[in-house]
Amino acid sequence: MDVQHFERITAFIEARLTPVFDPADGNDHGWGMDDTSRALRALRNTVLGASAIKGIIAQRATADPKMRGIIDQSLEHNWDVLRGVARQWEDHPDFRREFKRHAWELDELGAAPAAQG
């Protein structure tokens, strides 16, 4: 698993969420205290938290085997969170097949971008 996988899926999700937070459309979604705004903020915070993995990946290569297993579990969990969110837009033209894959399948792909679809 590579940081580039996380960067691609996070960029895809952020491209879907960012317009919702734009006050130019006349609503206060994301900024108000209504349930929709709270849910949007919670979703964005979840995505941001799950995508904050650069420090973990940086330690992976030099970690002892026991710690590497813990790091791998953490990366797999965070990937699964992002994968679940991204799949809500599975029919979007920018959705990549790699966003459907499990973490262990990404190791087989390496950092090369997956085919669109």
Side-chain angles (χ1 to χ4, degrees):
M1 175 166 287
D2 192 285
V3 69
Q4 293 173 356
H5 293 294
F6 281 90
E7 289 172 347
R8 283 191 293 273
I9 199 168
T10 302
F12 173 78
I13 296 168
E14 281 292 318
R16 312 288 77 75
L17 292 179
T18 298
V20 178
F21 286 86
D22 185 1
D25 65 6
N27 69 51
D28 65 348
H29 286 166
W31 306 110
M33 293 309 291
D34 58 290
D35 283 346
T36 300
S37 293
R38 291 173 187 196
L40 288 169
R41 286 194 304 272
L43 176 60
R44 179 171 253 170
N45 289 339
T46 298
V47 169
L48 292 174
S51 65
I53 48 77
K54 286 185 180 181
I56 298 170
I57 285 183
Q59 295 177 26
R60 186 176 185 249
T62 58
D64 63 67
K66 189 173 184 177
M67 182 57 80
R68 187 174 176 141
I70 294 167
I71 290 170
D72 287 346
Q73 287 176 350
S74 176
L75 291 173
E76 288 172 13
H77 169 75
N78 288 2
W79 178 259
D80 284 345
V81 168
L82 294 172
R83 184 171 65 110
V85 173
R87 289 194 68 177
Q88 301 304 309
W89 291 279
E90 196 169 336
D91 60 342
H92 192 280
D94 294 337
F95 187 86
R96 296 173 176 247
R97 272 188 277 178
E98 74 179 297
F99 301 161
K100 293 172 90 169
R101 298 182 192 273
H102 293 279
W104 61 86
E105 295 173 311
L106 295 175
D107 287 335
E108 298 166 5
L109 293 175
Q116 293 286 335

